[in-house]
Amino acid sequence: MNTIDRYDYVIVGGGSAGCVLAARLTENPDTTVMLLEAGPHHAGVAALDRPGTWADLLGGDYDWGYHYAPNPLLDGRAVPIPRGRVLGGSSSINAMLWYRGHPSDYDAWETAGAKGWNYASLLPYFRKAEDWEGGATSLRGSGGPIRITCPSDPHPIALGLLEAAAELGMAVLDDCNGPEIEGAALANLTVDAGHRESTARSYLDPALSRPNLTIRTDATAVGLTFDGDRCTGVRYRHDGRETEVRAVAETLLCAGAIASPHLLLLAGIGDPAQLRKHGVPVRAALPGVGRNLQDHPLLMGVNFRARTSLGRVRDNGGGAILNWRSDASLDLPDLHAFVVQGRHATPEIADRFDVTGDVFAISPGLMRSHSIGELTLRSPDPRVSPCIDPRYLSDPRDRDALVAGLDRVFDLAETTALAALIESPAAPDRRLGRHEAEAFVRASCSTFFHTGGTCAMGAGPDAVVDPDLRVHGVTALRVVDASVIPVLPSCNTNAPVIALAERAADIISGTEGRTS
């Protein structure tokens, strides 16, 4: 094994969080950072840059290719869970939606034990990250690294969703990240002049010339190194050889909600019973590693045959979103839908219904799901992916809410605004009764790609990191990514992870409180 130079910080994972940390920590010229990314560099890859064809990236060369465990509640299906394997991580292959959810989503973190993490503490970091096209307000930021825009020429089906919502008496919002979230709005997108704004492009590219930043791509972390209970660095595989890099100050895991807990388990940090089962010596007994796995279930989708050609794909292939309550007694919206400028269907639904030709979708999903899953080891071999199981629909409240979501989509389709665009329903081909709707949910349930919670912040017996993101039971090791989120917010997770990483950079560097 080769050992290379030491760095103050070694960051594992060049994704939504890792690129932010690498850029922010190297603003101090006296701080040295190595960023390890398992995938290739993003520069010059045209496919990563085009907003309208992002879905073609899923399952391809820049995706880890993970699948959730087969789920009997989904007719035994193993749902693919795309994760970016390239600089920028999932911010380089996602749908580019910048949506922050409701303030109470972040207050729930503190309630769950993440002391000091709440909406008030994160709002400055959302604003710090943003270059919002509407300019700075008390809620929005201007001049930050990430350009945030709305569709300038929305697709007719995006406008149709807004008009349909209005016909049903729902609010049409000026800004989905404004003071209210319930209702319809044009999407906020991480798109600048037709180009994707990944964290690699917005944070890392401006920092590439810094002599204190070293980036190694095609470098897969295979283990953590320790001296006693102190994490001293990372072992990684590059060009067929295993190499060790030392972290003088700290090792920062930013590998995401799947790979970060996997690396902890491989290092002997986790549930002792699980570790012993696989012959892994116990370094720190943290039974919460891999537990608390959360994701938002999404129906792919409700498809309609268009009256006329859909024309060219605009923006990210969507352009409008809608939030509403599955039950009027709820305090906040739990359902979320977006439009798709084309078909949106699982293979099982596509086999059952005709979704060829000019078809578009309104796809509802659940942003306040109750089902909780788990990530566990399959093998002590780092090349063997873990078992990842969100246990979709294991809480029947989730099934009931998704069934209600189907009904609301058909309500929208019957408005004057959308009826003018729809020739007929395609998949399903009519409004469904309860039994049929439950079957459709089982066959079409997929993922919003919002895996989180597997290294949750807190102080209880299942907490993995403390509110400074330090791993309990060891030293010089932190986790900074979606895995530390104790309660998944009711939104896309790219914006929350970036805000979390912005704050983490200040915590690590000791500069928190200086962000305006």
Side-chain angles (χ1 to χ4, degrees):
M1 180 185 295
N2 298 320
T3 301
I4 61 173
D5 292 340
R6 300 166 179 256
Y7 298 83
D8 293 324
Y9 296 97
V10 176
I11 300 172
V12 180
S16 293
C19 288
V20 174
L21 280 187
R24 292 303 190 193
L25 292 176
T26 55
E27 288 176 346
N28 179 350
D30 297 324
T31 297
T32 58
V33 170
M34 170 173 265
L35 176 64
L36 298 173
E37 166 54 43
H41 206 285
H42 72 292
V45 183
L48 300 177
D49 195 47
R50 294 192 291 262
T53 56
W54 68 271
D56 295 342
L57 299 168
L58 307 184
D61 293 341
Y62 306 103
D63 182 354
W64 277 95
Y66 292 121
H67 283 73
Y68 285 146
N71 185 342
L73 297 175
L74 305 186
D75 299 332
R77 291 185 300 115
V79 172
I81 175 60
R83 299 285 84 190
R85 191 175 183 274
V86 62
L87 273 183
S90 295
S91 78
S92 286
I93 69 168
N94 67 6
M96 294 152 285
L97 290 156
W98 184 266
Y99 178 44
R100 303 181 335 200
H102 193 270
S104 64
D105 295 336
Y106 305 98
D107 295 337
W109 296 9
E110 188 163 52
T111 301
K115 185 177 179 181
W117 289 84
N118 50 46
Y119 181 67
S121 69
L122 276 167
L123 179 58
Y125 294 100
F126 280 117
R127 297 181 71 246
K128 183 178 183 180
E130 292 181 341
D131 184 19
W132 166 234
E133 69 174 7
T137 70
S138 61
L139 297 178
R140 306 305 305 265
S142 178
I146 299 183
R147 182 67 172 166
I148 313 293
T149 61
C150 283
S152 59
D153 182 21
H155 194 280
I157 64 169
L159 294 176
L161 182 68
L162 305 189
E163 294 166 6
E167 280 190 52
L168 294 180
M170 305 170 82
V172 177
L173 309 174
D174 291 333
D175 179 9
C176 64
N177 289 307
E180 303 293 337
I181 68 163
E182 188 163 11
L186 291 177
N188 277 201
L189 303 173
T190 54
V191 174
D192 180 22
H195 300 277
R196 174 191 291 273
E197 280 280 275
S198 67
T199 55
R201 185 171 188 252
S202 57
Y203 279 89
L204 206 57
D205 282 357
L208 290 179
S209 63
R210 294 175 187 166
N212 57 335
L213 173 60
T214 300
I215 299 171
R216 183 142 298 165
T217 54
D218 300 303
T220 303
V222 295
L224 305 176
T225 59
F226 284 83
D227 182 2
D229 66 357
R230 179 182 177 82
C231 184
T232 57
V234 179
R235 290 184 293 109
Y236 66 93
R237 191 175 294 110
H238 177 72
D239 284 341
R241 296 185 301 173
E242 199 167 289
T243 300
E244 182 179 324
V245 57
R246 293 297 182 102
V248 175
E250 290 183 322
T251 299
L252 307 174
L253 290 187
C254 302
I258 296 172
S260 285
H262 191 208
L263 284 168
L264 291 181
L265 291 169
L266 293 171
I269 301 170
D271 181 358
Q274 181 187 167
L275 297 173
R276 292 187 184 112
K277 175 183 175 182
H278 292 283
V280 178
V282 178
R283 186 178 305 279
L286 287 182
V289 175
R291 294 183 184 171
N292 192 48
L293 191 158
Q294 300 167 53
D295 191 9
H296 295 140
L298 168 69
L299 300 188
M300 291 181 58
V302 182
N303 291 261
F304 300 95
R305 191 160 305 285
R307 289 188 181 277
T308 60
S309 171
L310 294 172
R312 65 178 179 85
V313 174
R314 305 184 196 179
D315 306 305
N316 69 333
I321 64 172
L322 175 65
N323 297 310
W324 75 101
R325 309 174 199 213
S326 63
D327 187 307
S329 67
L330 295 175
D331 293 335
L332 292 166
D334 60 335
L335 287 169
H336 175 94
F338 54 88
V339 296
V340 180
Q341 299 167 29
R343 86 173 198 178
H344 192 217
T346 62
E348 292 76 13
I349 293 297
D351 286 344
R352 190 178 306 173
F353 299 96
D354 181 9
V355 288
T356 60
D358 283 303
V359 169
F360 70 88
I362 301 174
S363 297
L366 186 59
M367 286 288 196
R368 294 184 185 276
S369 51
H370 298 278
S371 302
I372 302 293
E374 187 175 17
L375 176 148
T376 53
L377 283 178
R378 295 184 196 269
S379 165
D381 185 339
R383 294 169 296 184
V384 178
S385 64
C387 178
I388 318 154
D389 188 1
R391 298 182 183 138
Y392 282 146
L393 308 188
S394 57
D395 190 309
R397 290 175 290 180
D398 294 352
R399 176 203 61 206
D400 293 345
L402 290 168
V403 167
L406 283 176
D407 275 341
R408 175 53 73 169
V409 171
F410 274 93
D411 293 341
L412 291 161
E414 291 168 2
T415 61
T416 302
L418 281 176
L421 302 174
I422 294 171
E423 178 181 291
S424 62
D429 54 10
R430 54 190 167 78
R431 190 188 286 266
L432 302 176
R434 174 72 190 202
H435 179 74
E436 292 174 308
E438 289 182 2
F440 186 86
V441 166
R442 289 195 302 272
S444 62
C445 184
S446 186
T447 172
F448 270 107
F449 321 143
H450 297 166
T451 315
T454 47
C455 298
M457 265 193 287
D462 275 350
V464 177
V465 301
D466 70 13
D468 286 332
L469 307 176
R470 297 172 296 203
V471 177
H472 293 299
V474 296
T475 62
L477 178 63
R478 300 193 207 222
V479 182
V480 184
D481 56 35
S483 66
V484 306
I485 296 174
V487 181
L488 208 59
S490 61
C491 59
N492 305 84
T493 48
N494 193 43
V497 167
I498 289 170
L500 184 152
E502 283 275 19
R503 187 178 182 210
D506 279 3
I507 291 171
I508 293 164
S509 61
T511 59
E512 189 177 19
R514 302 180 198 176
T515 297
S516 58

